[in-house]
Amino acid sequence: MHPAPSVILFSSLSGLGFGLLAWLGIGLPAVTGWVAFVFFTLAYLLAVGGLIASMFHLGHPERALKAFTQWRSSWLSREAWASVAALLVMAAYGAGLVFFDARWWPLGVIGAALSLLTVLTTSMIYTQMKTVPRWHSLWTPANFLSLSIAGGALLAGQVTEAMVLLALAGVVQIVTWWQGDQALASSGTDMATATRLGDIGSVRAFEPPHTGSNYLLREFVYVLGRKHAAKLRIIAILLMAFVPLLLLLSPVLHHLAAALAVLSHAAGVLTARWLFFAQAEHVVGLYYGKR
Amino acid sequence: MTTLPQHTDRKLGLVIDLDTCVGCHACVISCKGWNTENYGAPLSDQSAYGADPSGTFLNRVHSYEVQPEVGTAHLVHFPKSCLHCDDAPCVTVCPTGASYKRVEDGIVLVNESDCIGCGLCAWACPYGAREMDVAEGVMKKCTLCVDRIYNENLPEEDREPACVRTCPANARHFGDLADPNSAVSQLVAERGGVDLMPEQGTKPVNKYLPPRARDQLQGPEDSGEIDVLAPFLAPVDTGPKGFLGWLDRTLEKL
């Protein structure tokens, strides 16, 4: 799949932002006043910034409001509802903390649940794609949610929780990669089922429909990054989990170490999210003899 | 609504005969010709005469080489357009309701004024039937020529999809696949028509007729003969004799 920068930025940054909102919602850290204002500003910049980035990949952003209509069937529509609901509820809860020094905890808990629900709906947009076997697995939501919760803990300054959750997210990431590598082969879709010519013999793409490229090849048959995939995976897992863990364990330079840990984690998540798209094989590639 | 209808009254679709398709791409051209100037946004081209031409097409013809275990390879031309699936995954993913499947005839359409161009429906389609138009930013797909098949301004023989109307090999057939007595349904039953990627669970309406067994395609190494006339064409003289033989051998040595 084509790794569109807008979608990678959106899912990574908003994942971190909604993760932070979830922690703030359950009162960890229990901040009020100006400190709460800073935390909420950061969370909203990440979450809303991500949402705005995702608008750039639409052909007609001016019609984006129509995306709220089909929540009965479409995960993208459900994501739109969940994100707006989470942002509104958390705004009310944040206003209580910042301006009234009051923690309206039911609002916070509901907001936290809605924030995680938003991340779940984002991941379900990919998980539902039977056409991309690598994504069509429960490991996709596990991957998105574990990264969001761990990154949120890191941003929220919950050091102990962050260390456990970062390690867990790293393990989930490795399992996600491992199962994803066998997904296409075990999906049962190959050139024989695509063409139904397998009964006659082995099928080879002889000539594509056009000498030039097309939308399908550009969008679904992205093979550029696969050469370096193994190296990028190591870089991603080091930056995402290993380096932040080491930094959190270091006894000195606590604030600087935490900031570096956040930056390293974000860079690792972005790398992993780039691979999530670049490595994903869409079955339409089989019609072109590619994967 | 992007939920799928429980039942469609008819299932209009295509039956494509892989045995008779000659790979001329006339269906591709007639499809683009009709659909670029009728229903919805035109099918744009980018850099049509440049170094890297590309464009939006609703129908594309692939060619495959199929190598049986014994005998020579078959070349199969393979037209592919929207299969108007009963369980169309492209419809349910649409967040705006722009994609829909019609209850009356099962045709899958895009209401372009509602399309935000998110591309998710093209992701959900295993067949590559949907293409985002780069110029318009909306999703384009086969309409089964909905603006021809019911069009009373056209002569009756033209009220079928442009690709079917134009096919010189009669490899494309149009009809109601919900009616077991229709010509297309009988053709599917007779020739063992199949679904593409049945494991994807999309339940396509369009069917493909697999190529018939080919009994004349054995190479000489399999049958020992190229043609019924082959025995008469075998060289009678295995080598020159006498003076000519001497000349041949001498000239070889020079």
Side-chain angles (χ1 to χ4, degrees):
Chain A
M1 302 290 290
H2 171 66
S6 57
V7 179
I8 293 170
L9 274 175
F10 153 65
S11 66
S12 308
L13 296 185
S14 71
L16 283 173
F18 283 112
L20 176 55
L21 283 178
W23 284 96
L24 292 171
I26 56 169
L28 292 172
V31 284
T32 52
W34 276 107
V35 185
F37 181 77
V38 171
F39 268 109
F40 273 87
T41 305
L42 177 63
Y44 271 79
L45 280 178
L46 288 169
V48 179
L51 286 173
I52 290 171
S54 75
M55 301 270 286
F56 283 105
H57 108 122
L58 297 181
H60 282 275
E62 76 281 6
R63 301 176 187 158
L65 282 179
K66 289 180 194 258
F68 286 90
T69 59
Q70 303 301 315
W71 52 272
R72 288 179 196 81
S73 58
S74 166
W75 281 105
L76 183 52
S77 194
R78 288 170 196 160
E79 183 198 39
W81 277 106
S83 59
V84 168
L87 290 173
L88 288 177
V89 171
M90 286 306 288
Y93 173 71
L97 291 175
V98 173
F99 301 114
F100 306 106
D101 202 13
R103 191 167 107 75
W104 301 322
W105 68 266
L107 219 50
V109 171
I110 294 170
L114 285 170
S115 297
L116 293 184
L117 184 69
T118 306
V119 178
L120 177 72
T121 52
T122 304
S123 69
M124 285 309 292
I125 292 171
Y126 307 108
T127 308
Q128 69 179 332
M129 293 292 164
K130 218 176 168 181
T131 49
V132 186
R134 187 182 283 276
W135 294 349
H136 191 60
S137 149
L138 285 179
W139 286 103
T140 301
N143 183 215
F144 276 58
L145 278 170
S146 64
L147 281 175
S148 169
I149 296 170
L154 193 59
L155 284 168
Q158 305 300 303
V159 176
T160 323
E161 290 87 341
M163 287 199 287
V164 176
L165 290 167
L166 280 172
L168 183 72
V171 171
V172 171
Q173 179 67 71
I174 290 168
V175 178
T176 308
W177 282 332
W178 176 78
Q179 74 83 32
D181 287 344
Q182 14 234 315
L184 181 62
S186 58
S187 72
T189 300
D190 53 24
M191 279 187 82
T193 69
T195 61
R196 297 304 303 275
L197 296 169
D199 292 342
I200 303 173
S202 63
V203 184
R204 188 174 77 91
F206 182 77
E207 204 171 33
H210 292 77
T211 51
S213 190
N214 63 35
Y215 167 76
L216 301 171
L217 290 170
R218 288 191 297 268
E219 185 77 3
F220 301 119
V221 195
Y222 185 87
V223 291
L224 273 182
R226 294 189 193 161
K227 191 169 67 172
H228 300 300
K231 279 181 210 161
L232 284 170
R233 280 183 176 181
I234 293 168
I235 292 170
I237 204 81
L238 286 178
L239 289 176
M240 167 202 300
F242 201 74
V243 173
L245 270 175
L246 282 184
L247 286 166
L248 290 181
L249 284 169
S250 72
V252 284
L253 273 175
H254 210 72
H255 264 87
L256 183 62
L260 283 175
V262 167
L263 286 178
S264 168
H265 175 75
V269 172
L270 281 170
T271 312
R273 203 50 55 83
W274 187 85
L275 282 168
F276 177 76
F277 288 96
Q279 283 202 293
E281 309 94 339
H282 193 289
V283 294
V284 77
L286 295 167
Y287 283 107
Y288 291 84
K290 294 176 178 171
R291 47 166 300 205
Chain B
M1 279 303 293
T2 56
T3 42
L4 289 162
Q6 293 289 319
H7 168 82
T8 59
D9 299 336
R10 291 192 297 160
K11 293 181 185 181
L12 295 187
L14 302 176
V15 172
I16 293 168
D17 191 343
L18 297 179
D19 204 38
T20 44
C21 175
V22 295
C24 70
H25 292 238
C27 54
V28 177
I29 303 306
S30 65
C31 166
K32 181 130 178 170
W34 178 266
N35 287 294
T36 202
E37 57 190 25
N38 288 286
Y39 181 98
L43 302 169
S44 71
D45 289 318
Q46 279 69 44
S47 174
Y49 302 101
D52 186 20
S54 89
T56 312
F57 285 79
L58 311 182
N59 179 29
R60 293 181 184 267
V61 179
H62 296 252
S63 296
Y64 298 104
E65 180 197 81
V66 190
Q67 177 65 60
E69 280 192 23
V70 181
T72 52
H74 300 196
L75 185 61
V76 180
H77 301 293
F78 197 97
K80 187 162 56 61
S81 53
C82 174
L83 309 181
H84 297 281
C85 303
D86 265 347
D87 210 343
C90 56
V91 171
T92 49
V93 297
C94 178
T96 68
S99 277
Y100 61 105
K101 186 171 174 71
R102 298 185 1 148
V103 179
E104 61 269 38
D105 51 19
I107 298 179
V108 177
L109 287 177
V110 176
N111 176 358
E112 289 174 9
S113 58
D114 277 353
C115 176
I116 57 172
C118 69
L120 215 53
C121 54
W123 289 18
C125 173
Y127 308 109
R130 288 172 171 248
E131 299 192 15
M132 180 95 78
D133 189 84
V134 176
E136 287 289 332
V138 294
M139 196 54 73
K140 300 296 296 183
K141 70 175 293 300
C142 161
T143 65
L144 210 61
C145 284
V146 69
D147 47 359
R148 288 176 65 96
I149 58 179
Y150 298 116
N151 191 339
E152 291 182 2
N153 295 319
L154 295 177
E156 195 157 351
E157 64 269 26
D158 284 338
R159 289 179 211 161
E160 57 181 13
C163 58
V164 176
R165 185 75 181 104
T166 207
C167 179
N170 210 18
R172 306 178 70 101
H173 306 269
F174 165 69
D176 180 10
L177 286 133
D179 173 9
N181 297 317
S182 68
V184 280
S185 294
Q186 285 177 355
L187 196 56
V188 170
E190 210 174 285
R191 295 275 308 279
V194 292
D195 293 344
L196 303 185
M197 290 186 185
E199 72 285 352
Q200 286 274 334
T202 54
K203 299 190 197 117
V205 168
N206 284 14
K207 304 288 177 208
Y208 281 75
L209 306 179
R212 297 180 180 93
R214 291 178 189 177
D215 59 354
Q216 296 294 317
L217 255 179
Q218 260 92 47
E221 70 277 14
D222 303 317
S223 65
E225 275 185 27
I226 301 168
D227 191 280
V228 286
L229 291 175
F232 303 103
L233 296 173
V236 178
D237 197 358
T238 50
K241 293 183 180 75
F243 172 71
L244 278 178
W246 172 83
L247 191 63
D248 182 48
R249 285 193 298 279
T250 313
L251 286 171
E252 282 287 327
K253 282 176 194 160
L254 285 179

